[in-house]
Amino acid sequence: MKDLSVIIVNYNVSYFLEQCLLSVRKAVRGLNAEVFVVDNNSVDGSVEMVRRRFPEVILFANQDNLGFSKANNQAIRQAKGKYVLLLNPDTVVEEDTFTRCFSYMEQHPEAGALGVKMMDGAGKFLPESKRGLPTPWVAFSKVFGLAAMFPKSALFNQYHLGHLAHDQTHAIDILAGAFMFMRSEALQKVGLLDETFFMYGEDIDLSYRVKQGGYQVIYFPETRIIHYKGESTRKTSVNYVFMFYRAMMIFAEKHFSGRQARVYSFLIRLAIYLRALLAIVARGVKALLPLLLDGLCLGLGLFAGAQMLDLPMPALQSKTWITYFVVWLGAALFSGAYDPPTRLYRLVRGMLVGSILIMAFSNVTNAGFTQKKHLLVGVLVGLAAMTGWRLFWHWTQFGHWRFGEPKVKRIAVVGSQKEVTRAGALLKQAGAHAPVAQFEPQYTAHDLQQIKEVIQIHRINEVIFCGKDLAVSQIIEWMVQIHNSSLEFKILPENSAYIIGSSSKNTRGDYYALHIEVNLLNPYHVRNKMVLNSLMSVGLLLLSPVLIWQIPEKKQFFKNCLASLVGLYHWVGLKATATADTRPAILSPADQGRKKGATDATARQMEVVYAKDYTAWTDLSIVLKNLSRLGRSV
């Protein structure tokens, strides 16, 4: 029997996984351990990276995304350790994390599962390190904001056990799935992860069953880990809301009964509708606010134009103006005026195209010279106002007036001269700012004070730690000691091509790497693809009396046309590299060649090229070459 089995489930986070495994490699020293990586059909080279850099790892390369529970169970059934650790790939563990946890569990046979103190990428404590059982009252307090209003209250914030000290060991109810150090004997007794949970909730269920099995669940803060993503990275998405609360419903139906189950069910359903509504409203407001501001600017411009030309006010109240506003704002939208990063020429181009269309319309309707002059003055004044609010917003976000340029990074690199040079080269290759300062630690008590002085003197807003030269425990300690709201941290792992970090638990972990432009993700091309998809559907329906005779699956063809018309399907899209969020596609880039039935590897490669170099003409070309196959099922 081995001392420890470490299990990491990965899905498309190769850069995080690499850093995690480097820290695990150091942390298992002194233990007879085995490390499993279960990859859920990643398409980012994760499997190849593990095989190349970590030959000691036992790798499961799944051909489908099995979800968190099934993937973990897949490795647990093969594990030989006295203890099993479920570890997220977006974590970094200290060098003594595993030995400290192992020693505690050996000394406390009553402990069945253990979690540690988790810090986010900015060095701040993550409250989900310790959680209470989500009973109806706990759920009510969290859903309706009482936990956030009274974070230290034992009554209102039982969800995160805010009344318990962060730096003391406690018996708790629930561990976070990012780090669950469990006794194999306990798992054999209470069972493995419940595979009904695809994502979210399985950690709550397993922690609860461990306690029901007569074991203690322990919060152990004597060692720390970095957890980049915190609780979640997309809590504002409607999909997250439904997935998370669906998991809570499964938990309630499984473990509660009678009146308690009904109350819990009511609260959870209420939470689903409230959170989903808030998510939809928030996204809608965020998307519409720039359009509304521009509409207001155009209105002010037209009002100013009327004053300058001494026109009567009723002229501004005509219903024709609504059409003008729609044309102007629609032209700006399709010109990319609202796509990040902000580019002033897109706005000017959109206003120019919109004005040309409106002038053409005015000629058809025999509008007078005065009205055309009013339109011209109005759009010029409105354009100035639109530029003004964009400049102000850009300055509040980035601290300068230059459109398209992000916040100036003032980077300091902490490490040996060799690693500092390597970090500078990676930053240059990635198109990022070069370091303005460096610090080579002397490994004395004065290092921390000197780092603080470097940050202050050079006005540093990002610190990169070199993982080859510094222990994870040292990096975490310095992050905790020097973090502030304007400072970000990243880590350059040993022999890695990525520099990894995250500014808070609510933002996705990011990284510096070689910049590759993917056209398929560009908002401009996304809109073009959407419009082309609908136009092709209309054209195919109009031509269906002729086309239908060469399409074997006639009923499915009409279904595809209608589904593509309203945006449910893509005529051409990703299949071999599709994820759960990918819209179903009828054809794929693999259909553009003469040879049919391309291998999976070839199809993946073709889809990568398609995504990178995508244009609307690519879709049109593939559809024209495959008219007889337009009746395929998705």
Side-chain angles (χ1 to χ4, degrees):
M1 175 181 285
K2 293 185 178 293
D3 295 327
L4 176 65
S5 299
V6 182
I7 299 172
I8 303 170
V9 174
N10 176 73
Y11 181 66
N12 286 332
V13 285
S14 171
Y15 39 92
F16 281 122
L17 178 63
E18 180 184 43
Q19 182 176 230
C20 178
L21 287 172
L22 285 169
S23 70
V24 167
R25 179 182 278 170
K26 295 178 181 178
V28 296
R29 291 171 184 169
L31 294 173
N32 182 12
E34 59 184 355
V35 181
F36 294 85
V37 169
V38 185
D39 185 84
N40 272 337
N41 197 30
S42 296
V43 296
D44 65 345
S46 294
V47 170
E48 293 78 7
M49 183 275 295
V50 173
R51 286 173 176 160
R52 183 182 70 256
R53 292 211 61 186
F54 304 96
E56 73 275 18
V57 166
I58 303 169
L59 177 66
F60 293 88
N62 292 327
Q63 299 303 306
D64 297 295
N65 186 353
L66 302 182
F68 185 78
S69 296
K70 285 186 178 181
N72 271 300
N73 288 344
Q74 187 178 0
I76 292 174
R77 294 187 179 99
Q78 302 296 322
K80 301 175 183 176
K82 183 177 182 180
Y83 299 97
V84 170
L85 170 64
L86 307 186
L87 185 68
N88 271 21
D90 60 335
T91 58
V92 185
V93 300
E94 292 184 320
E95 287 77 6
D96 63 354
T97 293
F98 297 167
T99 54
R100 281 179 176 264
C101 294
F102 181 85
S103 297
Y104 183 91
M105 296 291 278
E106 288 286 279
Q107 296 167 18
H108 297 82
E110 72 279 4
L114 174 147
V116 298
K117 189 175 187 178
M118 298 192 296
M119 319 297 290
D120 69 9
K124 292 181 287 186
F125 173 75
L126 289 171
E128 56 270 22
S129 300
K130 49 182 176 60
R131 289 184 291 174
L133 183 69
T135 60
W137 170 250
V138 173
F140 176 86
S141 300
K142 177 161 174 58
V143 167
F144 290 96
L146 295 175
M149 293 170 61
F150 306 98
K152 300 292 184 181
S153 171
L155 176 63
F156 296 117
N157 192 19
Q158 293 181 40
Y159 187 83
H160 285 139
L161 300 175
H163 62 290
L164 299 182
H166 299 166
D167 56 356
Q168 295 178 9
T169 301
H170 299 286
I172 59 173
D173 295 320
I174 305 299
L175 297 178
F179 187 103
M180 299 183 75
F181 197 103
M182 295 175 291
R183 197 178 297 276
S184 293
E185 171 192 298
L187 282 175
Q188 292 172 5
K189 181 177 180 180
V190 306
L192 306 186
L193 282 79
D194 188 338
E195 297 182 1
T196 308
F197 298 90
F198 181 82
M199 187 180 296
Y200 309 119
E202 62 286 314
D203 49 358
I204 298 176
D205 175 72
L206 184 55
S207 299
Y208 182 75
R209 286 190 284 119
V210 168
K211 286 199 69 174
Q212 293 293 97
Y215 295 94
Q216 287 188 352
V217 176
I218 301 297
Y219 166 65
F220 181 67
E222 294 182 23
T223 185
R224 300 164 297 188
I225 69 170
I226 298 173
H227 184 205
Y228 283 113
K229 294 187 183 181
E231 290 183 79
S232 174
T233 58
R234 291 190 289 180
K235 288 191 172 183
T236 57
S237 73
V238 177
N239 185 52
Y240 165 79
V241 171
F242 279 98
M243 288 185 68
F244 179 77
Y245 287 109
R246 178 181 177 276
M248 294 298 95
M249 291 292 296
I250 295 173
F251 177 80
E253 292 170 359
K254 181 175 179 180
H255 296 293
F256 297 149
S257 60
R259 183 173 181 274
Q260 191 179 35
R262 291 193 297 273
V263 171
Y264 197 101
S265 177
F266 171 76
L267 288 173
I268 293 300
R269 291 182 189 280
L270 181 62
I272 289 175
Y273 296 128
L274 286 176
R275 290 290 296 272
L277 178 62
L278 288 174
I280 292 171
V281 170
R283 291 173 63 182
V285 169
K286 185 178 179 180
L288 291 175
L289 185 58
L291 281 165
L292 294 175
L293 286 174
D294 282 352
L296 178 61
C297 290
L298 284 171
L300 292 173
L302 292 169
F303 177 79
Q307 298 299 310
M308 293 166 62
L309 299 173
D310 196 26
L311 295 175
M313 287 298 296
L316 291 175
Q317 300 172 4
S318 170
K319 292 181 180 179
T320 307
W321 292 111
I322 297 177
T323 304
Y324 291 168
F325 274 54
V326 171
V327 172
W328 268 321
L329 296 178
L333 176 67
F334 280 94
S335 183
Y338 304 102
D339 299 336
T342 301
R343 292 284 190 268
L344 189 58
Y345 76 85
R346 298 172 183 166
L347 177 64
V348 174
R349 180 176 62 192
M351 290 296 107
L352 178 61
V353 170
S355 298
I356 292 173
L357 292 173
I358 289 172
M359 291 297 181
F361 176 76
S362 299
N363 288 333
V364 173
T365 57
N366 296 318
F369 175 76
T370 302
Q371 183 178 352
K372 292 179 181 178
K373 189 175 180 181
H374 182 204
L375 289 172
L376 181 61
V377 173
V379 76
L380 289 175
V381 175
L383 187 59
M386 286 184 258
T387 303
W389 79 254
R390 281 172 169 78
L391 277 170
F392 177 76
W393 177 87
H394 190 83
W395 180 81
T396 60
Q397 295 294 309
F398 303 110
H400 59 77
W401 305 100
R402 298 178 298 278
F403 278 137
E405 292 187 23
K407 186 176 181 179
V408 176
K409 293 278 190 180
R410 297 187 63 82
I411 301 172
V413 183
V414 180
S416 66
Q417 185 59 52
K418 182 178 180 181
E419 285 298 282
V420 168
T421 302
R422 190 167 76 88
L426 286 173
L427 289 169
K428 183 178 180 180
Q429 290 175 350
H433 295 274
V436 298
Q438 64 184 67
F439 176 76
E440 186 166 357
Q442 303 302 311
Y443 307 101
T444 68
H446 300 293
D447 281 348
L448 178 60
Q449 182 58 37
Q450 291 178 337
I451 291 176
K452 290 181 178 179
E453 290 174 357
V454 169
I455 292 171
Q456 183 178 7
I457 292 170
H458 295 279
R459 304 191 309 279
I460 300 300
N461 53 28
E462 182 171 304
V463 178
I464 296 175
F465 296 107
C466 298
K468 185 176 182 179
D469 306 313
L470 301 167
V472 174
S473 56
Q474 185 65 78
I475 293 173
I476 294 177
E477 184 60 33
W478 283 344
M479 287 169 57
V480 171
Q481 293 295 329
I482 65 179
H483 84 83
N484 60 62
S485 59
S486 62
L487 196 60
E488 297 182 9
F489 300 104
K490 288 186 172 63
I491 299 175
L492 170 60
E494 182 178 357
N495 298 325
S496 175
Y498 300 104
I499 300 175
I500 303 165
S502 174
S503 57
S504 81
K505 71 171 184 174
N506 294 317
T507 58
R508 294 190 72 89
D510 53 2
Y511 61 97
Y512 292 123
L514 294 179
H515 179 68
I516 300 175
E517 184 71 27
V518 180
N519 283 352
L520 193 62
L521 302 180
N522 185 295
Y524 177 78
H525 290 291
V526 169
R527 269 195 308 276
N528 285 349
K529 185 177 181 65
M530 178 182 67
V531 172
L532 178 64
N533 210 54
S534 297
L535 290 176
M536 284 196 295
S537 298
V538 173
L540 290 169
L541 285 171
L542 292 175
L543 295 172
S544 60
V546 177
L547 295 176
I548 197 66
W549 304 110
Q550 58 178 310
I551 299 174
E553 305 87 353
K554 296 176 176 54
K555 184 177 180 181
Q556 185 64 39
F557 166 74
F558 286 108
K559 179 182 177 182
N560 290 346
C561 286
L562 294 175
S564 298
L565 179 64
V566 297
L568 296 178
Y569 293 172
H570 278 319
W571 281 111
V572 183
L574 305 179
K575 286 179 174 287
T577 57
T579 67
D581 298 327
T582 303
R583 193 169 299 177
I586 298 148
L587 302 173
S588 81
D591 295 314
Q592 63 187 317
R594 295 289 182 185
K595 296 181 180 179
K596 308 299 181 184
T599 64
D600 289 343
T602 302
R604 285 170 179 261
Q605 187 175 5
M606 294 178 74
E607 291 190 3
V608 169
V609 174
Y610 167 82
K612 182 178 179 297
D613 301 327
Y614 174 80
T615 67
W617 297 111
T618 309
D619 280 2
L620 187 59
S621 172
I622 293 174
V623 168
L624 291 175
K625 289 178 181 179
N626 292 273
L627 291 175
S628 63
R629 310 180 76 193
L630 297 182
R632 279 200 321 198
S633 299
V634 297

